[in-house]
Amino acid sequence: MSGNYARLEAVQQITNGKKYQTSKPKSLKKIWACDVFNLAKMEEALAKKTFKAIKKCIKTGDAIDAETAEAVAAAMKEWAMSKGVKFFSHVFYPMTGVTAEKHDGFIIADSDGNMVTEFPGSLLIKGEPDGSSFPNGGLRVTNSARGYTAWDPTSPAYIMQTDNGSTLCIPTTFMSWKGHALDKKIPLLRSNAAMNKAGTKVLSLMGETEIAPLNSSCGAEQEYFLVDANFAAARPDLLITGRTLFGKSPAKGQEFDDHYFGAIPERVQVYMQDVEDQLYRLGIPAKTHHNEVAPAQFEIAPYFEAANVAADHQQLLMTIFKLTAKRHGFVCLLHEKPFAGINGSGKHVNWSVGNSTQGNLLDPGSTPAENLNFLLFCGAVIRGVHLHGPLLRVAAASAGNDHRLGANEAPPAIFSVYLGAQLEGIYDSIKEGNLDDASEVSIMDLGLSQIPTFVKDSGDRNRTSPFAFTGNRFEFRAVGSEQSVAGPLITMNTMLADSLNWIAAKLETELASGSDKTTAVVAVLKDLMANHGQAVFGGDGYSAEWHKEAVEERGLANLPTTADALPALKSDIVKELFASTGVLTAEELASRFEVYAEVYILKIETEAKIMIDMAKTMIYPAATRYMSDLAATAAGMRELGVDFDSTILNAVADLTNDMTTAVSQLGDLLAEENHGSEEDHMQFCATKLLSTMDAIRTAADALEVEIADDLWPLPSYHEMLNIK
Ligand code: ADP
Ligand code: MG
C-alpha cells in the first residue's frame, strides 16, 4: 500500500471514528486488580495458616515450603478456572529486555480418557522453557541447554485477557541448569537484597533499633508515539525496526509546542482509556497521562511501586500498549527515536529506597541538614554516580537510545547528578566540614488574593541532567522508552549498596573513635565529597562548555554510543562492584556483555538491510519514474519549441546517483566478514554502517522534496504525525 492509499484509508477510519468508541465506563472499584491473584484473593481462598505462611514469605522474601506452594497452586488454579482460564504461563524476562512466556494447559487425561485438570505446586514453583532459544551469552552450550523458570511469589500472578482467550501468568526468574541468572529479575532481586543489607548496617550504626527490610521503589514515566496502522503498514522500516529510516522533516514539527499539554485527540483518549482499564484490572496504578512534546507523542506514568513489581508491571504495560493499539487501528511505537528531527521518547525511572520504619530515606523533609540518614543515603548516591557513571550509561545504552543521548533534547551521555540549589549548598558546606543550610523556605506569593500561597519546592527542575534529585527520589532520565527498567534499577541499587557499605565502614571507625553522630556523619561525607563531589552538577548539561569541563576538568566519562559504553562491563571496577555485592558473578556479567553487544550489532545490521531494500525497491523506482515523466515532458516541450527548465530533473538524477552509490557502499560493508572482537564489531556498526546509512538517508530525504507526491511510496512525516 503506497503512502497515498494509506493516507486515504487512515482518514476514512478516523472520520468513521465510531468504531473506536469506548465501551461503557466501568467503575474503578469494580475492575481494580480483578485479574490479579493478590493477597486479598489468597486470603479469601486459603486456610488461615497457609495464608499467614505465604504472606510472611512475600513480605520477607523467605523461601516457601512445599506444602504452602501446593495449597497456593491449587487455589490459584481454582480462581483462574472460575474465570474461564484453561492455560497457564511462566512469564520471564530474558537479558534482551523483552518479556517471554511458556504456555501450558491445566488439562490432562486420566487412563479412561476423562478430562482432569492439574496444577501441582511443583509446576507453580518450577518450569522448564525450551532452553536454547534465548540468548545466554555463552552461559549455556547446546549440550547443556536446559533453562529453568522459578516462581517469584513477590510479584503476583495475574490473568492476561486477550481477544483470543485468557491465560494465568506467573512471574518467574529464569536461570541456567548451573544456576546462572539468564534474566533481569534475578539480579534485580539480588541488588535489592544487597542494598537492604548495606542500608540496614548504616541505619543500625546511626542508632536505629527497629529497622524493617529496605526496599527500592520505582515509578516509570513511559513516552510513546501512536501512528495510524495504515501508515505503519506501508512502512517496512517502522514495522520491522520500529523507526523511520527515511522521511523529510515536516514543514511544521514540534516548533510551536502546541501539542504538549494541548487537548488529547479524541481517538487517542479512547485508546488511553481502554489501556488504562486493562492496567487497572491488572492492578497497575496508571495515574497520569498527557500529550508529549512531539505531535503524536504521549506519556503515561503509573504510581510508584516496589521495584520488582514495578519492573514486571512496566513490561506488562508495554505489552498492553502494543496489543491495544491494534484494536484501535494504531501502531504504538516505543522506539526511542521513531522520527529523526522530532523529539524522541524516554522512560524516566523514578527511584527511591525506604522501609516501613524509617520511611523514604531519600526524603529530606523540611530540614535536610538535620536529617542525617537522608544525608548519608543521598551521599551514597552521589558517590555511586561518580564511580559508576559509565555503568549508568550502560544501563541506558541501546541502539535506539543512542539517537537521543547526547543530542539536544535528551540528557547527555555524560553522567552527573543534579541536586538542586538547597541540597547542593548543604553538601558544599559539608566539603568545608560544616553542616549549614543557607536556604530559607520560600513562599510562592503571586499577590493575588484569590490564589492561595504555597511553599516552593526546594529546587527547580533540571531537564538537562541525566540523573536528577526531584524532591524525594532520584530520576534516572536517560533511560530509553523501549528499555526494561530492571537494568537501571539493578545499577542504582547495586551502586547504592556498594556506597552504603563504604559509608558503614567509615562511619564505624569514626564512631569508634568517640565522635558523636553528627560529627561522624560530617567527617564521612566530607571525605566522600572530596573524592566524588565532582559528579554534582547543576548547570546546563547540553552546553558545549559542560562537555569540556566534565571530561577535561572533572574526569567524567563521555560515552556517546552503546559501542563506547558497553566495554565498561569488562572493567575491573564494574566486575568488583557486582562481585562484592553478590549481584552478578564474573561469568554472569561477561554473558551480559555478550548479549547486549549481539543485540546492538543485530539491530544496526537489520536496519542497514531494510534500508537497502527500501532504497532499491521503493525509492529508486519512484525516482526513475519521475525522471522519465520529466524527461518525456521535456522531450514533448522541445518538440513544441517550448523551453524546459531541467533543474529538477538534474537534481533528481544527481540525488538518485548519490543514493545508489551509498547503497552499494552499504551493501559492501554488510558483506564484510571477520570483524574481530565484539568491541571492534560494535564500533564498525557505530561508525561505518551508521554513517553510510546517513548518506543514503540524506539523498533519499532530498528526493522526497523533489518527487511528485503521488509517486512517493512512503507515508510522509507530515501524514504520520498529524493525522490521528
Ligand atoms: P514528572 O513531573 O517528572 O513528569 P510524574 O508525576 O509524571 O512526574 O511522574 C513521577 C513518577 O515518579 C510517578 O511514577 C510517581 O509515582 C513516581 N514517584 C513519586 N514519588 C516517588 C518515590 N518516592 N519513589 C519512586 N517513585 C516516585
Ligand atoms: Mg519526570
Side-chain angles (χ1 to χ4, degrees), residues 541-565:
Y542 295 163
S543 69
E545 300 86 72
W546 166 241
H547 281 67
K548 201 164 138 57
E549 178 189 331
V551 177
E552 290 172 16
E553 287 163 41
R554 303 199 189 199
L556 305 178
N558 183 7
L559 303 167
T561 71
T562 299
D564 301 321

Side-chain angles (χ1 to χ4, degrees), residues 353-429:
V353 297
N355 63 9
S356 57
T357 42
Q358 277 70 39
N360 176 2
L361 287 149
L362 291 175
D363 187 348
S366 49
T367 49
E370 289 163 27
N371 188 341
L372 298 179
N373 288 346
F374 164 77
L375 291 176
L376 287 173
F377 275 71
C378 184
V381 175
I382 296 172
R383 178 180 179 273
V385 175
H386 180 241
L387 284 178
H388 299 294
L391 187 62
L392 286 164
R393 174 64 184 89
V394 170
S398 72
N401 210 22
D402 281 357
H403 296 288
R404 290 173 68 233
L405 294 189
N408 259 11
E409 55 163 84
I414 303 168
F415 272 82
S416 61
V417 49
Y418 172 81
L419 294 179
Q422 185 185 13
L423 286 185
E424 202 174 320
I426 294 175
Y427 282 99
D428 275 344
S429 80

